[in-house]
Amino acid sequence: MRAQHPTDAESAANRKGRSLLWRWDWEESKRRQVRSLHGCWALCSGETKFPVSILHVMARWCLARTVTVVSLTVTLSAVAVRYPSCRLLHPLLHPFRELAYSSSVPVHWFHSYPVSMLSCYNPNENVHNKAHTSPYPGSKVERSKVPTDKVGWLVEWEDYRPAEYTAASVLAGPTWADPQISAKNFSPRFNEKDGQVERRSLSGLYEVENGRPRNPSGRTGLVGRGLLGRWGPNHAADPIITRWKRDSSGNKITHPISGKNILQFVAIKRKDCGEWAIPGGMVDPGEKISATLKREFSEEALNSLQKSRAEKEEMEKQMNRLFNQEHFVVYKGYVDDPRNTDNAWIETEAVNYHDEPGETMDNLLLEAGDDAGKVKWVDISEKLKLYANHGNFIKLVAEKWGAHWNEDPVPGCHK
């Protein structure tokens, strides 16, 4: 009878899998993870032939390894969105997030297992907060009330009968909007790059039911597109421009309680809702994220659309100095936005460009334009009340630079 304890080969494989996940040489770790997953893929597809005994060991090792990577990737990503102040997780998160978005690995592998939160997770917290805003922005349409325990699509809810709403401005057929699903000659390729329109989600594959994409974060109490142009993900970009707050002598100003330097960012006051926000907007079809970040900042925070050619050329020089420097990708993914519906939602890439000496931004005059009613430098702290979940992005930036955020001397896992 075969012994129940693992063989030397199995033990060696298990030890190798465990040690590899926690290797601090993250770049080498990521390359090995991708190669090993490709090996599993070849094994499962029958592309590679091995003796039966070797296949048994490899299959066990590949399965354990895949489940571990998937579970940890989803867990850390979810914790980062909900509790970005959990500092101990930040060094672990980045390589797994990169691996999850790697085009070398089948994307659905990273979205096949339920999320298991860490100690920071509040089981009563709902990923949809502002996405349940009612009435829907710019209308009198009321959303169906969605209890926290019925947000997820896996929970059956036969009585769920949300109202349908798509704004007249969207139905008018502007260039930035899709036709209705029932329109002739409209056959969107969801979960794919559809011509110049990006219909892939940063969160992975989403379901399509009755021809309509389904919000990956759950029920919102409204179907249709609301104010959003695209069925499925509507991709945006949010440039976070920061500098240190300084006194008249040019010295950094520290907070009297936390003792940390105070960081500032450029904020706009939105015309549509009156809330303060990061200047940003939608990615045009075929446009690179880097171009969207620069365009949206210049339009909303510098009023570039109203400038003369000479003014635009000078502005462009200063903008290039700022946007061509090293930057920090703060967040990629789903946004808890009041415009979201069951069939259309906002996803964004928030990027921080930091003007360390403050000289570049001193040469750029802030002036509200386009969708912005006002624009100004704002001190960063936990007291900020910002649009959607922009506050979470700003918090991550403050932590990145070791700047003041709150007056609590002991950092912890709080929102």
Side-chain angles (χ1 to χ4, degrees), residues 193-407:
K193 183 69 177 295
D194 189 5
Q196 292 295 311
V197 178
E198 182 57 85
R199 299 193 190 277
R200 293 173 294 185
S201 169
L202 295 171
S203 301
L205 298 178
Y206 52 88
E207 295 185 19
V208 178
E209 188 175 74
N210 298 323
R212 296 187 176 197
R214 200 159 69 169
N215 190 315
S217 290
R219 299 179 175 94
T220 66
L222 191 73
V223 296
R225 283 177 288 163
L227 291 166
L228 301 178
R230 304 293 177 193
W231 294 99
N234 288 253
H235 293 281
D238 293 309
I240 305 174
I241 311 302
T242 56
R243 71 177 184 185
W244 296 110
K245 187 175 185 179
R246 300 177 185 271
D247 59 23
S248 58
S249 300
N251 300 313
K252 295 178 182 177
I253 298 177
T254 59
H255 191 272
I257 297 178
S258 70
K260 295 182 178 181
N261 295 331
I262 298 175
L263 196 65
Q264 297 180 313
F265 84 104
V266 176
I268 63 162
K269 189 171 185 180
R270 296 175 61 102
K271 288 181 179 179
D272 56 356
C273 62
E275 293 185 79
W276 286 93
I278 299 167
M282 309 310 295
V283 180
D284 290 338
E287 186 178 36
K288 293 183 177 180
I289 291 291
S290 57
T292 307
L293 291 163
K294 184 190 293 187
R295 173 177 58 78
E296 287 293 337
F297 183 76
S298 64
E299 289 177 0
E300 295 191 347
L302 303 175
N303 197 21
S304 61
L305 296 177
Q306 302 300 320
K307 301 296 183 182
S308 66
R309 175 177 293 184
E311 290 174 321
K312 287 182 179 178
E313 290 177 354
E314 181 59 32
M315 182 185 298
E316 187 71 17
K317 293 179 182 177
Q318 299 298 329
M319 291 277 288
N320 287 337
R321 289 182 57 190
L322 181 65
F323 281 82
N324 289 342
Q325 66 179 7
E326 185 177 353
H327 55 270
F328 165 47
V329 178
V330 181
Y331 176 81
K332 291 181 180 182
Y334 183 87
V335 178
D336 179 26
D337 192 287
R339 294 169 293 178
N340 292 349
T341 73
D342 287 4
N343 309 122
W345 59 92
I346 297 284
E347 296 187 7
T348 196
E349 181 168 337
V351 182
N352 174 220
Y353 296 90
H354 181 62
D355 186 10
E356 177 64 27
E359 297 173 353
T360 301
M361 288 306 301
D362 282 347
N363 295 323
L364 289 171
L365 177 65
L366 296 182
E367 182 181 347
D370 198 22
D371 298 328
K374 296 181 180 179
V375 60
K376 66 177 181 179
W377 287 100
V378 174
D379 292 355
I380 292 177
S381 79
E382 66 175 348
K383 297 178 181 179
L384 287 174
K385 302 297 181 183
L386 301 176
Y387 178 79
N389 56 353
H390 288 190
N392 289 344
F393 306 159
I394 297 301
K395 188 176 187 179
L396 281 172
V397 172
E399 292 181 348
K400 160 71 175 178
W401 296 105
H404 168 73
W405 174 254
N406 59 41
E407 299 176 3

Side-chain angles (χ1 to χ4, degrees), residues 34-66:
V34 171
R35 287 200 299 270
S36 69
L37 289 174
H38 282 168
C40 294
W41 184 262
L43 177 66
C44 296
S45 62
E47 295 175 5
T48 307
K49 305 299 182 182
F50 295 100
V52 174
S53 59
I54 298 298
L55 286 174
H56 178 71
V57 174
M58 289 182 66
R60 288 185 59 183
W61 177 68
C62 286
L63 178 60
R65 186 185 192 86
T66 303

